[in-house]
């Protein structure tokens, strides 16, 4: 477990701010103690200082995971969020879409969201902005990227893609091995 | 009379002697100097501009073999005499009590003593500019500066002073560390540019002289140290398609230091951030977040347009809602006009004529 380099820290925060904007600060400035990001085999983990101190007693080769995995750095040094980060992103989400019950399953199988499945969309949805996906009962299902802005959505045809799929909670079953 | 006759004869005799003397001298002189007229079988070719004449006549092989030097000397004298004769025929001028002949323009093309110089090889930039068709723009040496109200030279004397007077204040850019010295930064950047230019100049020279300059590693095997060799080994090992990932290493082999910039990803020694206390790390993280959030947003035209469209769309339904009741009222007044789209139903209209009675067919 090591600290993220300055460059990677910036890349990580840039990615997170796409989904939760200025609320990134709240991940670091928490009333319940100190929290930090750590890197292990290009994966980024978010954990409290207490857990970090426990984890640092283990040799890094033996350690599989500690805290919550937020995502991983690709070989080209881009950050990719994993579904495991959803629990931390959902409460701070700035841009949301809600799915109709009929479209929920489609999304959970890893498909993009079409206009026909769109229940609601928050007003500040811009094109290519990060978006959190909920079902009508306000349960977070995953996240993606807006393919169209809110105003464009109104005019688009029912089969047009509104949101590109990035991660969904179906991955907990589908790609159990890859998730950490 | 006789007396005078004698006198005369004396005089005459004196004169006779003088003449004889002169004639004798002349004869002697004639023997000493050769004639100015030279007979030649073929005319010589003259180029008086370059004081040149070419004798195309055949050499007299008999005389030549008898006494080579004598023959050649005589031949040369004759030819020079002919050349001088030609020069005397030219129009003359008097310059400072000296008679000067005016030579015509030289016609004979003399061959070069040295070979024609090769064109200078182009520098890398010149090559590129030629390829892309970039032409050098002529800049005037002086340009008018509105701020200083002065003519400023493009470079050289008084340029630096003018810049100093002009840019005595630098705005601290957004996101920049306020404690950073922007002037020092600028001078640093300048020295860096100068150094880069010098390096490129040297590289161009090396290219023209066909010298291979290694970027790094063993520069000169005679004077390279163990450190250089180590660097060379490290670079060589990392110069595979997989950045040396599958290259074995000798026992106790160490990686060279200070070459990480030119062998990115090669070093197994990854830079680790120094361990700091959690409070410090938190502060650093917050700083990084501030940096990310304070980034000046780019002007996104599409986004702005979308926003505008969105607002217009929001406004429209309100307007139409307020105007709807009016439209409805109008429709009522008109009643069943021809413009109404509904089909008239049977049995609802008023009948003309008889309303009741038996049907007539």
């Amino acid at each position: 477990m090591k600290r993220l380099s300055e460059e990677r820290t910036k890349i990580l925060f840039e990615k997170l701010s796409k989904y939760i904007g200025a609320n990134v600060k709240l991940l670091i400035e928490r009333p319940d103690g100190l929290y930090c990001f750590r890197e292990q085999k290009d994966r980024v983990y978010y954990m409290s200082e207490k857990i970090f101190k426990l984890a640092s007693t283990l040799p890094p080769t033996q350690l599989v995971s500690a805290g919550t995995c937020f995502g991983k750095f690709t070989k080209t040094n881009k950050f990719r969020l994993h579904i495991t980060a959803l629990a931390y992103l959902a409460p701070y989400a700035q841009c949301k879409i809600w799915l109709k019950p009929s479209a929920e399953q489609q999304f959970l199988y890893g498909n993009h969201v079409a206009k026909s499945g769109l229940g609601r969309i928050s007003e500040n949805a811009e094109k290519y902005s990060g978006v959190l996906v909920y079902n009508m009962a306000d349960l977070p299902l995953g996240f993606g990227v807006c393919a169209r802005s809110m105003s464009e959505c109104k005019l688009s045809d029912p089969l047009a893609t509104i949101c590109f799929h990035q991660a969904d909670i179906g991955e907990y079953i589908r790609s159990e091995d890859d998730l950490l | 009379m006789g007396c005078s006759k004698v006198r005369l004869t004396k005089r005459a005799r004196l004169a006779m002697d003088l003449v004889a003397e002169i004639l004798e001298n002349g004869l002697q002189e004639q023997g000493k100097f050769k004639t100015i007229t030279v007979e030649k079988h073929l005319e010589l070719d003259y180029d008086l501009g370059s004081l040149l004449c070419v004798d195309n006549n055949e050499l007299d092989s008999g005389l030549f073999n008898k006494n080579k030097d004598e023959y050649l000397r005589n031949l040369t004298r004759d030819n020079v005499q002919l050349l001088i004769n030609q020069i005397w025929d030219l129009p003359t001028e008097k310059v400072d009590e000296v008679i000067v002949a005016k030579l015509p323009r030289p016609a004979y093309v003399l061959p070069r003593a040295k070979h024609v110089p090769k064109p200078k090889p182009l520098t890398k930039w010149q090559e590129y500019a030629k390829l892309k068709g970039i032409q050098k723009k002529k800049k005037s040496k002086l340009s008018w500066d509105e701020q200083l109200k002065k003519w400023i030279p493009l470079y050289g004397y008084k340029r630096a002073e003018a810049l100093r007077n002009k840019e005595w204040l630098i705005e601290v850019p957004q996101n920049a560390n306020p404690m950073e010295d922007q002037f020092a930064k600028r001078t640093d950047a300048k020295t860096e540019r100068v150094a880069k230019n010098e390096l490129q100049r040297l590289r161009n020279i090396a290219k023209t002289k066909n010298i291979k300059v290694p970027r790094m590693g063993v520069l000169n095997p005679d004077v390279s140290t163990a450190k250089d060799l180590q660097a060379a080994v490290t670079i060589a090992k990392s110069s595979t398609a997989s950045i040396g990932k599958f290259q074995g290493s000798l026992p106790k082999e160490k990686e060279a230091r200070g070459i990480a910039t030119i062998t990115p990803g090669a070093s197994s020694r990854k830079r680790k951030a120094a361990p700091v206390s959690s409070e410090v790390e938190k502060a650093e993280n917050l700083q990084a977040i501030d940096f990310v959030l304070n980034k000046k947003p780019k002007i996104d035209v599409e986004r702005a347009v979308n926003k505008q469209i969105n607002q217009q769309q929001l406004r429209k339904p309100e307007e139409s809602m307020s105007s709807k009741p009016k439209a409805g009222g109008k429709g009522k007044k008109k009643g069943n006009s021809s413009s109404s789209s509904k089909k008239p139903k049977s049995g609802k209209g008023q009948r003309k004529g008889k309303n009741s009675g038996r049907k007539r067919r």
Side-chain angles (χ1 to χ4, degrees), chain A residues 23-37:
Chain A
N23 292 334
V24 191
K25 262 186 184 173
L26 299 176
L27 290 176
I28 300 291
E29 274 182 327
R30 282 174 69 141
D32 57 339
L34 291 164
Y35 275 76
C36 59
F37 287 97

Side-chain angles (χ1 to χ4, degrees), chain A residues 1-6 9-11 13-14 17 21-25 28-30 34-38 42 49 52-53 75 123-124 126-128 149-152 154-155, chain B residues 245 270-295 300 302-311 313-314 317:
Chain A
M1 289 258 144
K2 61 181 178 190
R3 282 173 62 203
L4 284 124
S5 70
E6 204 175 321
T9 314
K10 273 176 194 161
I11 294 169
F13 287 148
E14 246 161 52
S17 66
N23 292 334
V24 191
K25 262 186 184 173
I28 300 291
E29 274 182 327
R30 282 174 69 141
L34 291 164
Y35 275 76
C36 59
F37 287 97
R38 282 288 178 276
D42 281 347
E49 200 197 8
F52 164 61
K53 277 184 176 158
K75 298 252 163 37
E123 211 167 76
N124 58 349
E126 300 295 346
K127 205 172 185 181
Y128 305 135
S149 66
M150 197 270 278
S151 49
E152 278 176 315
K154 285 181 184 169
L155 306 170
Chain B
K245 201 171 186 177
K270 276 186 187 149
R271 268 184 66 194
K272 246 184 181 174
V276 289
S277 74
S278 318
E279 286 292 338
V280 174
E281 194 190 331
K282 184 181 162 187
E284 279 178 3
N285 277 341
L286 287 175
Q287 208 180 354
I289 291 173
D290 279 338
F291 179 85
V292 169
L293 294 178
N294 286 345
K295 254 187 187 171
D300 192 344
E302 198 181 348
R303 194 174 163 180
V305 168
N306 276 342
K307 216 171 192 177
Q308 181 70 22
I309 290 169
N310 195 11
Q311 278 174 355
Q313 281 175 349
L314 281 177

